[in-house]
Amino acid sequence: MRLTLRYGARTAEYDVHESPRLTAKLRIHVEPGGALTVEAPAGTPEVKIRAGVQKRARWIMDHIDRFEGYRRHALARDYSNGETHFYLGRRYKLKIIIDPSVKRSMRLVAGRLEVTSPKGDTTDIRLALQRWYRERALAYFTSRMSRMAADLPWVDAAPPIKLLTMKRYWGSCSPRGAVTLNPSLIKAPAHCVEYVLLHELCHLAEHNHSPQFYALLGRYMPEWREAKAELDGLAEMLLVA
Ligand SMILES: [Zn+2]
């Protein structure tokens, strides 16, 4: 069954699937591609489904917008004034200030990513941004990890962190306990960062993906699957350099 949600001037089509697993509630999914699907208990009347989806309309539209933002972000960047870039899951506009008398610099100020550049060309802006991301990533990951490590009985001290730009991975942990993290992870929402850090910290106790490893992960972050699914949905977009 295909229905249409109306919210203000906007519409979104959705497919309804009957699910024998569900008892009372509807389950609403917004896919990273923007598609909306609804699972309903078998035999739910259409009017009830429409009402249930309508009640979540705002949440649904917010999610569709968010994924649309990520998609646009993945398109070719030109590092121009006003272009948006991600930091900890939020979008910030670039503000470019050209000043031949200063060195290249970058800061997050008043909700904008402000780049001061002597030339203002694409390469200069891209390098400033890359460098800023790496600095922020190292500072943020280090402080988050040492705070998390304090709560984990198998970690004596937070392991050293190395940054490495990778095409397919967010992080890894060597058998000797050195953690490597992708600086692009700093573009993801904080709870997704937390999931990756905890994942690597759990590898200090379990050097594999065994049931014991997942049990440990689940004990310290019961909602890790949601964070992982969100991050998987963003990977293609955020891993674009
Ligand atoms: Zn792993």
Side-chain angles (χ1 to χ4, degrees):
M1 178 162 52
R2 197 166 175 84
L3 299 172
T4 303
L5 163 69
R6 284 173 214 289
Y7 183 66
R10 305 178 59 182
T11 59
E13 303 236 305
Y14 58 96
D15 284 314
V16 181
H17 304 283
E18 291 204 336
S19 171
R21 291 182 298 121
L22 290 179
T23 47
K25 278 180 151 181
L26 298 179
R27 199 170 281 174
I28 301 170
H29 310 269
V30 180
E31 308 296 333
L36 179 61
T37 55
V38 174
E39 279 183 275
T44 309
E46 187 184 315
V47 61
K48 245 186 134 178
I49 295 172
R50 285 184 183 279
V53 173
Q54 196 64 47
K55 245 177 32 196
R56 305 287 304 280
R58 188 178 172 160
W59 177 90
I60 292 166
M61 293 305 183
D62 281 352
H63 268 68
I64 292 175
D65 288 348
R66 190 137 153 244
F67 284 129
E68 173 59 25
Y70 284 129
R71 251 202 316 282
R72 260 185 269 130
H73 171 77
L75 299 173
R77 328 252 59 208
D78 66 358
Y79 302 93
S80 59
N81 217 15
E83 186 174 75
T84 59
H85 289 262
F86 279 92
Y87 177 62
L88 288 173
R90 294 200 192 96
R91 267 184 279 175
Y92 294 95
K93 281 192 176 165
L94 272 186
K95 184 181 178 194
I96 298 167
I97 299 164
I98 301 170
D99 184 345
S101 70
V102 297
K103 281 211 291 187
R104 189 167 64 210
S105 72
M106 166 119 192
R107 56 185 192 146
L108 180 61
V109 60
R112 282 168 196 276
L113 289 169
E114 194 179 282
V115 196
T116 309
S117 158
K119 288 186 288 181
D121 64 327
T122 307
T123 311
D124 217 37
I125 309 299
R126 183 169 50 81
L127 288 173
L129 202 56
Q130 257 170 20
R131 185 171 166 194
W132 183 81
Y133 275 131
R134 288 186 76 90
E135 285 169 3
R136 295 309 310 151
L138 193 60
Y140 185 83
F141 298 161
T142 305
S143 100
R144 284 306 302 150
M145 201 168 241
S146 62
R147 268 208 243 163
M148 291 166 78
D151 295 331
L152 308 174
W154 67 90
V155 185
D156 293 330
I161 294 172
K162 214 181 81 187
L163 294 181
L164 181 67
T165 301
M166 296 172 274
K167 283 267 187 295
R168 296 188 51 197
Y169 301 102
W170 294 112
S172 67
C173 182
S174 79
R176 302 180 69 182
V179 170
T180 301
L181 295 166
N182 195 326
S184 292
L185 181 61
I186 197 69
K187 298 174 187 176
H191 61 277
C192 297
V193 177
E194 195 120 334
Y195 156 70
V196 175
L197 298 185
L198 183 63
H199 182 116
E200 302 313 336
L201 287 168
C202 286
H203 276 318
L204 296 176
E206 300 286 339
H207 296 279
N208 46 47
H209 292 128
S210 61
Q212 289 88 330
F213 169 82
Y214 288 109
L216 199 59
L217 189 59
R219 192 176 321 145
Y220 288 91
M221 188 187 232
E223 68 292 1
W224 70 267
R225 280 182 190 80
E226 286 80 0
K228 182 183 186 300
E230 187 171 350
L231 197 55
D232 287 347
L234 301 174
E236 212 182 309
M237 302 163 236
L238 298 188
L239 288 175
V240 175

